[in-house]
Amino acid sequence: MFNKIIANNLKEFRSSRSWSLARAAAETGVSKAMLGQIERGESSPTMATLWKITQGFHLPMSVLLEPHSSSPQALEHQSKKQLSFDDNLQFRVLFAFDPTLRSEMFSHQMAPGKTHLSDPHEIGVIEDIIVIEGALEIKFTEQWQLLLAGETLRFKADQEHGYRNSTAEIVIFHNVIHYPKTIADH
């Protein structure tokens, strides 16, 4: 079901812009073949691929992940579902993108010994990290910083950054992503 939601949303956004697969590939840096596979639901994209797509379309991440339905049950069901693009990081959408606040919020869970590195987001994107349980290392400005449960960090996410769990326990953290005006409302 998750791949179908992404497939439908990607087709909708590409169609609304009248972009060919070639144009979408040029804008996102994701190959035509991969975009086609995602649109057909034949491929489960990685988090890095989704970020490339959302940046190329100038969209917040959650609009690709959430069903575009007026049914409150569909939205409620999706927001409670734990998602994963790889073995390193699981997440769920807590609050989908809000065009007034220009932000979205995720809950992340990372297993012991795992690392997730992220390419720079669009210029002006800022992330807030709130560690709920465990210990998390955040990489930004080419250095790792340790955060313990209850600690927070705000950083510019338009640079390479990463998340690492060097402990033997699961870490749970929330991530609020703030977008500049250059990101479309949908």
Side-chain angles (χ1 to χ4, degrees), residues 19-65:
W19 285 4
S20 65
L21 277 175
R23 170 80 187 272
E27 295 290 334
T28 63
V30 176
S31 74
K32 283 181 7 181
M34 177 57 72
L35 289 170
Q37 289 173 1
I38 293 168
E39 283 191 5
R40 292 187 302 274
E42 297 170 356
S43 177
S44 182
T46 65
M47 174 108 35
T49 299
L50 281 181
W51 271 114
K52 287 180 180 180
I53 292 169
T54 58
Q55 289 183 71
F57 279 85
H58 302 284
L59 294 168
M61 173 74 88
S62 64
V63 301
L64 269 182
L65 306 175

Side-chain angles (χ1 to χ4, degrees), residues 17-180:
R17 288 168 171 76
S18 300
W19 285 4
S20 65
L21 277 175
R23 170 80 187 272
E27 295 290 334
T28 63
V30 176
S31 74
K32 283 181 7 181
M34 177 57 72
L35 289 170
Q37 289 173 1
I38 293 168
E39 283 191 5
R40 292 187 302 274
E42 297 170 356
S43 177
S44 182
T46 65
M47 174 108 35
T49 299
L50 281 181
W51 271 114
K52 287 180 180 180
I53 292 169
T54 58
Q55 289 183 71
F57 279 85
H58 302 284
L59 294 168
M61 173 74 88
S62 64
V63 301
L64 269 182
L65 306 175
E66 292 286 307
H68 289 173
S69 167
S70 58
S71 162
Q73 292 83 6
L75 290 174
E76 182 179 320
H77 171 41
Q78 181 66 17
S79 66
K80 292 181 180 175
K81 184 177 178 184
Q82 193 78 357
L83 308 169
S84 179
F85 296 110
D86 55 37
D87 293 336
N88 294 338
L89 189 66
Q90 293 185 333
F91 69 97
R92 66 187 173 100
V93 177
L94 295 178
F95 294 104
F97 179 72
D98 181 316
T100 303
L101 299 174
R102 308 217 50 80
S103 63
E104 59 193 356
M105 185 174 184
F106 300 92
S107 177
H108 295 282
Q109 181 175 309
M110 183 175 274
K114 298 294 184 177
T115 299
H116 177 80
L117 299 175
S118 182
D119 289 330
H121 302 319
E122 192 160 320
I123 299 291
V125 172
I126 294 172
E127 292 191 25
D128 294 336
I129 303 295
I130 305 107
V131 179
I132 305 301
E133 183 178 312
L136 176 71
E137 291 176 273
I138 302 289
K139 180 183 180 185
F140 67 104
T141 63
E142 300 184 26
Q143 295 180 35
W144 290 95
Q145 180 175 335
L146 178 64
L147 296 176
L148 303 175
E151 295 183 328
T152 62
L153 176 70
R154 175 172 285 161
F155 65 93
K156 292 180 180 182
D158 54 9
Q159 60 185 315
E160 282 188 14
H161 55 284
Y163 316 90
R164 180 168 68 191
N165 181 358
S166 299
T167 72
E169 303 295 325
I170 288 174
V171 63
I172 298 172
F173 63 100
H174 291 172
N175 182 355
V176 181
I177 303 175
H178 305 276
Y179 293 94

